[in-house]
Amino acid sequence: KARYDWQSILDRHQIDAVLLKTEDPLSAAMKETLRWRPVFDDGASIVFVSRSTLRGITSPATINPSTNH
């Protein structure tokens, strides 16, 4: 189970991206909020980026390494 104050901890440290194992309880909690968006998921790990950070990015290729060639 994710800590009840996980969002305030991320806010306090100004975290705008998070890498987790997919089975991590925080991963499930972050999927349920509109504040975070999963931008990468390979089944073993998942990367979340805050939606406020995504507003400043114009190209999805900037955050999705699979499209960079």
Side-chain angles (χ1 to χ4, degrees):
K1 190 171 184 179
R3 288 178 53 146
Y4 71 92
D5 61 344
W6 64 269
Q7 185 62 66
S8 64
I9 293 169
L10 295 178
D11 289 344
R12 185 175 336 121
H13 296 285
Q14 299 179 342
I15 304 298
D16 58 8
V18 179
L19 170 65
L20 298 168
K21 291 181 179 180
T22 53
E23 70 270 6
D24 191 299
L26 182 54
S27 176
M30 292 182 86
K31 286 178 182 177
E32 296 297 319
T33 181
L34 295 176
R35 192 167 179 180
W36 293 91
R37 180 173 177 215
V39 294
F40 175 83
D41 184 346
D42 67 1
S45 58
I46 188 166
V47 176
F48 291 91
V49 176
S50 70
R51 291 186 184 271
S52 61
T53 298
L54 287 173
R55 282 192 285 265
I57 298 173
T58 58
S59 171
T62 305
I63 58 172
N64 188 349
S66 64
T67 62
N68 289 334
H69 299 284

